[in-house]
């Protein structure tokens, strides 16, 4: 696993915004996303295969080929080899959250969906390996993830259950913000304010 941040640069996504209260698209934006999905679905099956998905992600992000196919497999929860609109919609929301630096808010409000995505083997627990395999999708720094994974593995079984994961995810993003601030200071860049979240118990 190589630490790094995912860049989102889709012109299509630049027209969409997440609702500040629920981290979801508005009805209007859902309609736009659905029409875009249909345009990608050249076979008219209301589903995207891995090639169509790859073509979209190559234009929307800077992820490598291996990571894009890894994301496809993660979203393909029923192992059908196809993604339906619901799965594509979740991806769109994640990409917008990353673009707008709203990962913490998104994970907090949709922690169950994110947990189930990362739980690749369906064990109802997330291992450090599973988290690092797909943490890049939320711009988690690998070193920070490993360091505080141990702090929230209360049971000591090298895995996080849902409640441990929810606390861990909040702490990991806070730590990632600290790392990014330190990097900006080292480069001499102006610091961007870290958005405070009144509901986050780790601030």
């Amino acid at each position: 696993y190589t630490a790094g941040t995912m860049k989102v640069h889709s012109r299509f996504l630049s027209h969409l915004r997440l609702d500040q209260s629920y981290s979801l698209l508005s009805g209007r934006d859902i309609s736009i996303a659905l029409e875009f999905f249909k345009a990608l679905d050249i076979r008219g099956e209301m589903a995207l295969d891995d090639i169509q998905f790859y073509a979209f992600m190559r234009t929307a992000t800077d992820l490598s080929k291996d990571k894009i196919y890894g994301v496809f497999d993660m979203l393909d929860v029923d192992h059908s080899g196809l993604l339906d609109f619901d799965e594509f919609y979740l991806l769109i929301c994640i990409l917008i959250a990353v673009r707008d630096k709203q990962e913490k808010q998104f994970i907090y409000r949709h922690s169950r969906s994110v947990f189930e995505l990362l739980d690749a083997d369906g064990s109802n627990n997330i291992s450090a390996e599973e988290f690092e395999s797909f943490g890049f999708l939320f711009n988690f720094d690998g070193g920070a993830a490993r360091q505080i994974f141990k702090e929230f593995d209360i049971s000591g079984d090298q895995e996080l259950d849902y409640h441990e994961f929810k606390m861990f995810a909040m702490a990991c993003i806070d730590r990632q913000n600290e790392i990014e601030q330190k990097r900006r200071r080292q480069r001499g860049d102006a610091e961007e304010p870290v958005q405070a979240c009144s509901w986050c118990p780790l601030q």
Side-chain angles (χ1 to χ4, degrees):
Y1 172 79
T2 302
T5 57
M6 176 178 66
K7 299 292 188 300
V8 177
H9 45 65
S10 166
R11 294 180 62 183
F12 161 68
L13 293 178
S14 67
H15 301 290
L16 306 180
R17 295 287 183 274
L18 295 181
D19 176 89
Q20 290 297 311
S21 299
Y22 302 104
S23 294
L24 295 171
L25 295 180
S26 67
R28 169 189 170 276
D29 285 353
I30 291 175
S31 296
I32 293 173
L34 178 58
E35 290 305 312
F36 183 76
F37 178 82
K38 290 178 180 178
L40 292 174
D41 174 27
I42 57 176
R43 295 200 260 313
E45 298 175 344
M46 285 303 293
L48 302 181
D49 62 22
D50 56 347
I51 303 299
Q52 295 164 319
F53 180 81
Y54 174 76
F56 165 68
M57 289 292 283
R58 282 287 291 174
T59 62
T61 73
D62 62 350
L63 292 180
S64 68
K65 182 177 181 179
D66 287 344
K67 285 186 175 180
I68 290 174
Y69 281 114
V71 173
F72 180 88
D73 290 339
M74 178 181 68
L75 292 170
D76 181 20
V77 293
D78 58 359
H79 307 293
S80 66
L82 297 169
L83 298 185
D84 60 24
F85 178 69
D86 288 344
E87 294 160 337
F88 182 75
Y89 170 74
L90 177 59
L91 172 70
I92 292 297
C93 290
I94 292 172
L95 294 180
I96 295 172
V98 169
R99 181 200 65 196
D100 295 342
K101 296 181 169 57
Q102 299 291 312
E103 301 100 321
K104 180 190 297 184
Q105 290 87 334
F106 183 87
I107 291 178
Y108 178 79
R109 295 184 176 100
H110 306 289
S111 53
R112 175 60 70 179
S113 295
V114 175
F115 179 83
E116 291 175 354
L117 278 179
L118 297 176
D119 180 21
D121 61 3
S123 65
N124 291 319
N125 290 285
I126 295 177
S127 66
E129 181 180 356
E130 285 175 328
F131 196 87
E132 289 186 26
S133 294
F134 298 106
F136 67 85
L137 194 57
F138 296 97
N139 281 343
F140 288 126
D141 181 276
R146 284 188 295 272
Q147 181 178 348
I148 60 179
F149 190 94
K150 297 177 182 178
E151 298 176 16
F152 288 86
D153 180 19
I154 299 171
S155 59
D157 59 0
Q158 304 300 310
E159 294 185 324
L160 300 182
D161 62 23
Y162 171 64
H163 296 293
E164 291 172 332
F165 164 76
K166 192 169 183 177
M167 294 295 291
F168 167 73
M170 297 304 103
C172 197
I173 296 177
D174 281 340
R175 187 69 59 84
Q176 179 67 28
N177 284 341
E178 293 172 7
I179 291 170
E180 290 302 318
Q181 285 186 328
K182 182 177 180 180
R183 288 173 179 167
R184 284 195 293 270
R185 285 196 296 269
Q186 290 174 344
R187 294 196 306 261
D189 296 347
E191 290 191 19
E192 297 178 9
V194 179
Q195 296 188 354
C197 300
S198 59
W199 39 259
C200 183
L202 299 162
Q203 297 193 107

